[in-house]
Amino acid sequence: MERTSRQLVLDTLNFKNTDGRVPRQIWTLPWAEFTYPEMFKKIQDDFVWDFGGPQTTYEKLPKTQGDAYEVGTYVDEWGCIFTNIHRGIIGEVKEPIVKEEDWSDVGNVHIPEELLTFDIDKVNEACKASDKFMIAGCCPRPFEQLQFIRGTVDLYMDLMDPPKKMLEFMEKMHDFYCRLLTKWAQTDVDALNMMDDWGSQNALLINPELWDKYFRPMYKDYIDIAHKHGKKMFMHSDGYTLDIIPRLIDLGLDALNCQIFCMGVEKLKQFKGKITFWGEIDRQHLIPNGTLEQIDQAVKSVYDNLWADGGCIAQCEFGPGANPDNIYQIYKTWESIR
Amino acid sequence: MSTTLVEMSEFLQKGRVKNVKELIQKALDEGIAPKTILEEGLLSGMSVVGEKFKKNEVFVPEVLIAARAMNAGTTMLKPYLVQEGVESKGTVVIGTVKGDLHDIGKNIVKMMMEGKGLNVIDLGVDVSAEQYVTAAKENDADIIACSTLLTTTMGEIKNVVDLVKAEGIRAKVMIGGAPVTQDFCDSVNADSYTPDAATAADVALSFCL
Ligand code: B12
């Protein structure tokens, strides 16, 4: 009997995929769907996809306002106000909720406890009805959410010497994320996930010592929650993150979506067999401007350097600026490899 | 060099606003010229931070707090500098190009340029070619500095270069941001590309001399 998508992904994460294909997933921003509707559909139709996310319902939902992907103002679940200038991609916070240096106004932040009211039975039904590898419907992002709450520049500065109220808030936020992940871990999903962009183009955004002090313990708890419940843990992090990859491996992270090409596949080779590279293919240069041959080479270099009976997922993002033919070619090449 | 200025530079590198201000007062009391305080106490500290940032020895937060201390210091010194007739070394108009909201890199470049004694006018994000050129004209700027982090908005840089040429203004166009390369810079005929903020500030200063 042919292996299910769920089993294929698990075998890949466990480095036991000796004879199956490389599991596939595509990320799309709304931009892709309305700019290239035909290619968008063709890609969906021409390949088998291995990942899913369970639908569920909530007893109560946190208040949000507007649409994150439309031009104008969007207010997220925490009350953070985004200004967006481009349809189909996200905007940026221009008016922070926490304006005081000592975080005395942090009471204005809403912790979206409502997200804990999701229906476990519905999640389990969805998991049962599908043979895809199911990822939970929540995604903690402590560093980014703090930036959205306080504004990027101020948050970075506050991190150098955090005021007491900020540290207290970080604990509350972390406690909320732990409870949310725990509830998701009690469902039948296969994996939990989290995200935070940690790199600029050629370095980490913050000192690794600060990372170790404030964020490593949080990620450790999230990964431990997943593993305690027999789930895999996935993470997304953009930029040049080379210096924290060993730390994430140490914490037991199963799969990382990172900018492979901004670091260079050669430098990542050392992690082959230790973590699964959950994509990607370079969306800064290759996907927008590369030739089909360059795409072939890029995919092959990922496979040659990072595959070890698993350890790779064929993934990329179909986002602003992408050449749709290149997106198609990425999956064609993966398919031709195995 | 005076120990007060050495200490000032060291506190600035650690982002210690209060200490920097106290030492400025001390230096003034000691009769050190405001221009010397600016250059040897404040700007020299920022240069050290810039070099360390370039070598990945310090990161964005360290740069931001050092710049905050520098700004507090220059604000305090300003009246004395004006009195002495000290002028900025040149004027830069900076912004993130139209369609792009990323501004961390742009802010760092701005701070490094200020750290070289340049007057930097920040137009913010989502800045059109017309806005850059109008601001450059109004301020008789030496430089227009464009930041872009998205491949989709890199094209805007060409619009800026073309408009600068069409309007015949003297400002040099400097460009940068994660996806930008020297090849791209050559292809749009911009005056300079640098991969990092510290070098950008050095180049900017050289354009003003
Ligand atoms: C942080 C970040 C964000 C933050 C921005 C916060 C803010 N206030 O700026 C948020 C979350 C809001 C964001 C949003 C988006 N982002 Co973003 N983001 C990043 C990330 C991780 C880091 C950028 C950064 O701040 N670096 C730190 C600074 C210090 O570095 P820097 O900007 O490169 O600047 C340095 C140099 O380049 C140079 N420099 C910079 N400007 C200038 C100017 C001059 C004149 C000179 C000389 C030098 C110079 O000096 C600086 C210091 O040395 C990058 C990853 C990456 N590889 O860069 C993605 C990245 C830029 N983002 C990306 C994307 C796709 C987006 C979104 C479209 C995502 C979405 N889901 O909708 C939105 C778009 C928002 C918009 N409309 O603009 C992509 C762009 C891909 C592409 N095709 O180009 C990247 C590359 C990530 C990726 N995986 O590919 N992002």
Side-chain angles (χ1 to χ4, degrees), chain A residues 10 22 57-58 68 75 78 113 116 145 163 166 174 186 188 212 219 230 249 263-264 272 275-276 279 281 287-288 336:
Chain A
L10 278 172
V22 180
T57 53
Y58 292 80
V75 183
W78 300 70
E113 296 280 343
L116 278 151
Q145 196 65 52
M166 169 175 163
H174 178 57
Q186 287 161 352
D188 294 340
D212 283 338
Y219 296 140
I249 291 175
M263 292 175 270
K272 174 177 172 158
I275 192 164
T276 289
I281 298 293
I287 292 182
S336 75

Side-chain angles (χ1 to χ4, degrees), chain A residues 40-56:
Chain A
F40 186 83
K41 184 159 183 312
K42 183 171 162 57
I43 291 172
Q44 308 287 340
D45 292 347
D46 284 4
F47 301 98
V48 176
W49 302 98
D50 298 302
F51 288 79
Q55 294 288 329
T56 184

Side-chain angles (χ1 to χ4, degrees), chain B residues 116-188:
Chain B
K116 293 285 171 197
L118 298 167
N119 171 31
V120 186
I121 295 153
D122 187 354
L123 303 179
V125 295
D126 192 22
V127 180
S128 67
E130 291 75 19
Q131 285 170 294
Y132 282 111
V133 168
T134 306
K137 279 186 191 163
E138 279 170 11
N139 297 285
D140 189 23
D142 302 279
I143 292 159
I144 291 177
C146 307
S147 181
T148 179
L149 269 282
L150 297 170
T151 41
T152 40
T153 54
M154 278 167 77
E156 277 300 320
I157 288 182
K158 183 161 183 347
N159 297 341
V160 178
V161 176
D162 290 350
L163 194 60
V164 166
K165 301 252 148 80
E167 299 269 321
I169 59 169
R170 69 184 187 90
K172 303 258 193 222
V173 180
M174 294 184 62
I175 65 172
V180 181
T181 59
Q182 187 57 51
D183 281 351
F184 177 78
C185 177
D186 297 341
S187 75
V188 297

Side-chain angles (χ1 to χ4, degrees), chain A residues 90 92 201 238 259 283, chain B residues 100-104 147 151 194 197:
Chain A
I90 61 162
E92 164 63 338
Q201 192 68 10
D238 272 343
Q259 281 191 266
R283 52 186 145 134
Chain B
D100 192 347
L101 297 172
H102 292 85
D103 65 359
I104 306 174
S147 181
T151 41
T194 63

Side-chain angles (χ1 to χ4, degrees), chain A residues 145-201:
Chain A
Q145 196 65 52
L146 286 167
Q147 292 178 58
F148 299 154
I149 287 168
R150 174 70 170 127
T152 312
V153 166
D154 285 321
L155 190 273
Y156 274 73
M157 292 199 285
D158 291 350
L159 270 179
M160 292 298 293
D161 187 12
K164 191 163 154 271
K165 286 208 158 63
M166 169 175 163
L167 290 173
E168 285 167 8
F169 177 77
M170 282 167 76
E171 263 179 44
K172 264 170 79 179
M173 164 188 249
H174 178 57
D175 170 69
F176 164 71
Y177 278 146
C178 286
R179 285 182 287 121
L180 188 60
L181 284 171
T182 303
K183 183 164 172 188
W184 274 99
Q186 287 161 352
T187 71
D188 294 340
V189 296
D190 301 295
L192 306 181
N193 70 158
M194 58 182 182
M195 67 191 266
D196 266 329
D197 287 350
W198 278 113
S200 72
Q201 192 68 10

